Amino acid sequence: MRRVVGLCLACWMCGGVREDGGRGALVLSDRVDSGAGVAELQERLLTPYLARHPGLELVQRPIAGRDQYRRALLTALAGEDPPDVFLLDDEDVPRVVDRGVALDLVPYLPRIGVDPARYDQTLVAVFRRGAGLYGLPRGYTPVVVAYNKDLLDRAAIPYPTDDWTWDDFLGVAKQLTRDTDGDGSIDQWGSAFDGRIALWLPWIWAGGGDVLCADGRRASGCLDSRATIEAMRWYAGWMSAGIAPRIRDARDAPGAIARLFASGRLALMTTGHWAIPGLRATVAAGRLHVGFVAIPHRAGVAPATVLYVSGYAVPALTLRRKAAVELAGDLTDSAAAVARAEAGLELPAVAVAARAVAAADALGWDAAFLRAAAHGRPSWGVRVGPWRDVAERLGDLMDRITSTGVDPARAAGSTARELDRLLGATR
């Protein structure tokens, strides 16, 4: 009899006897995405694989929350009881792949009929090291701008197009920053400042700057370059310009921004595909009309955004390699990719599936994400091992610029030197 067992984090971390009782069950560890029906969707996606493997036990180790999942996964991979297949987020690729923890899938893919060419090659490159391939991409999102169509319609402002510039963005944001009830206080804003580097990094790229230099081994000469400093000053200046609300508790900023947008009090919001499940019900009820568009770029600078990618990998030491690689292939094939995309979770990594999903989306949302992705590249976390430490210092840098008014050039210079020491020490 086939059996799929959901296990909690406490069971995963406790050590000792294997949950499968030593009977050779295949173990899948995965991060549970938010949203109604996600667990049921995962069960449905596993059904074809289990049907082809009668008698196989498949044990699931689902963990809710990105940080919780990451801690549990890295602990399990370092222990004596790693999963046979696991979801691998892009920023953990250096720690898992570069340290030899993941299996090179190349020798096994022909045996199970998986052609890496079916995936978007920018995403495949995230999991490549030399001639080896250490994961199969499942899905991804570019960072884009969501806009409230109702607010633009009322102001007779045309919807933005993918070739819009920073000047265009500011023009729209200023027109839509208003005191709608006449009490002397702004209660509708053009945009919102988001201090998470995951969301402000693409604005720096679209302004011609970057936080690290091309080799990823230093920040000096790039973080403190003129283009980067001007981009940070421009982005951080949204609040002083009055087009973005001041949110007192930075920890609540992501939720506060989402609530303002959903309530019709925010016109333009930097976000990713993860916003779609939460917006669908509001849009379906007719309370909100939403469009998505690429991040605007500085005049004279090519459009750019960041891509966040996840995929499935197999530990190098797993004993059931063919079965494990086949499961990774099933969970990233076209059918699974389309099902996750239809649930609003991500764009499919399978290129033909992504185009099909975009063509079938009557709202045009996925088509907008796909167009934006054409100008995207993966985050620095794909290549830089200590990226989390780097990102923390960059977050502190932006916080100092916005909260204390420190000069961006001086602050960027000192942070660049600090990052040079950090990156040098980890090479």
Side-chain angles (χ1 to χ4, degrees):
M1 175 183 293
R2 299 192 302 271
R3 181 165 59 96
V4 179
V5 183
L7 298 174
C8 66
L9 175 59
C11 293
W12 184 353
M13 302 287 288
C14 65
V17 180
R18 285 178 59 102
E19 295 87 345
D20 57 37
R23 291 174 292 177
L26 203 68
V27 179
L28 166 66
S29 70
D30 211 337
R31 187 184 68 247
V32 180
D33 295 302
S34 60
V38 174
E40 292 78 3
L41 171 62
Q42 181 75 331
E43 295 291 338
R44 179 160 58 88
L45 297 182
L46 292 169
T47 299
Y49 178 84
L50 290 169
R52 295 198 312 274
H53 296 82
L56 174 70
E57 277 192 297
L58 178 62
V59 175
Q60 290 192 75
R61 293 172 171 174
I63 303 296
R66 181 177 292 269
D67 289 339
Q68 295 90 327
Y69 174 78
R70 180 177 190 268
R71 289 193 296 269
L73 174 65
L74 295 179
T75 299
L77 292 176
E80 298 180 355
D81 185 27
D84 297 289
V85 183
F86 58 92
L87 185 72
L88 181 61
D89 289 316
D90 49 14
E91 68 176 0
D92 292 322
V93 167
R95 186 162 183 173
V96 173
V97 174
D98 295 349
R99 297 185 182 186
V101 177
L103 177 72
D104 179 6
L105 306 181
V106 169
Y108 303 92
L109 297 181
R111 304 182 200 175
I112 63 172
V114 172
D115 182 1
R118 73 185 187 185
Y119 303 99
D120 184 301
Q121 293 305 292
T122 298
L123 311 181
V124 171
V126 168
F127 302 97
R128 281 201 185 280
R129 293 297 186 270
L133 180 62
Y134 298 89
L136 295 176
R138 181 186 75 175
Y140 71 108
T141 182
V143 172
V144 300
V145 173
Y147 59 91
N148 184 317
K149 290 185 174 181
D150 297 320
L151 297 184
L152 271 72
D153 288 343
R154 291 171 199 157
I157 299 173
Y159 299 152
T161 57
D162 291 328
D163 61 349
W164 65 329
T165 67
W166 281 7
D167 290 339
D168 298 327
F169 172 88
L170 278 182
V172 173
K174 288 177 178 178
Q175 289 183 71
L176 294 177
T177 299
R178 297 178 175 181
D179 169 15
T180 62
D181 58 10
D183 68 352
S185 298
I186 298 297
D187 51 26
Q188 175 185 297
W189 290 270
S191 192
F193 170 87
D194 196 315
R196 294 174 292 175
I197 186 174
L199 294 182
W200 60 256
L201 179 60
W203 289 94
I204 304 305
W205 287 357
D210 209 337
V211 295
L212 298 179
C213 296
D215 60 6
R217 297 181 177 181
R218 61 186 174 88
S220 292
C222 296
L223 178 60
D224 54 358
S225 70
R226 179 177 178 180
T228 302
I229 291 167
E230 289 181 353
M232 287 193 296
R233 180 177 285 119
W234 181 83
Y235 182 76
W238 290 2
M239 286 187 290
S240 59
I243 64 171
R246 292 189 177 274
I247 300 171
R248 294 182 180 179
D249 186 351
R251 295 170 296 181
D252 185 49
I257 291 170
R259 290 190 295 272
L260 284 170
F261 187 81
S263 65
R265 298 171 59 199
L266 184 66
L268 306 166
M269 176 178 68
T270 307
T271 191
H273 211 283
W274 58 78
I276 288 181
L279 289 172
R280 275 186 167 175
T282 305
V283 170
R287 297 193 299 270
L288 192 67
H289 297 90
V290 177
F292 292 93
V293 68
I295 295 281
H297 59 96
R298 188 175 183 176
V301 174
T305 192
V306 63
L307 305 177
Y308 294 112
V309 189
S310 64
Y312 285 101
V314 174
L317 299 180
T318 192
L319 298 179
R320 305 180 67 172
R321 293 183 174 182
K322 183 176 182 295
V325 176
E326 187 177 353
L327 178 57
D330 266 32
L331 290 174
T332 61
D333 69 11
S334 296
V338 169
R340 290 184 59 82
E342 289 176 344
L345 300 176
E346 59 197 4
L347 281 178
V350 177
V352 67
R355 292 192 294 270
V357 166
D361 179 14
L363 293 172
W365 292 358
D366 282 311
F369 275 88
L370 201 56
R371 291 194 305 271
H375 302 289
R377 66 181 190 266
S379 167
W380 280 110
V382 170
R383 297 170 46 201
V384 177
W387 172 247
R388 286 204 159 206
D389 295 328
V390 172
E392 182 179 356
R393 287 161 174 79
L394 291 171
D396 291 341
L397 167 62
M398 187 62 78
D399 183 61
R400 280 187 289 148
I401 293 172
T402 56
S403 62
T404 67
V406 65
D407 177 60
R410 183 162 57 87
S414 62
T415 300
R417 292 189 292 273
E418 182 182 359
L419 292 180
D420 287 348
R421 292 191 292 271
L422 171 64
L423 294 168
T426 55
R427 288 207 294 269

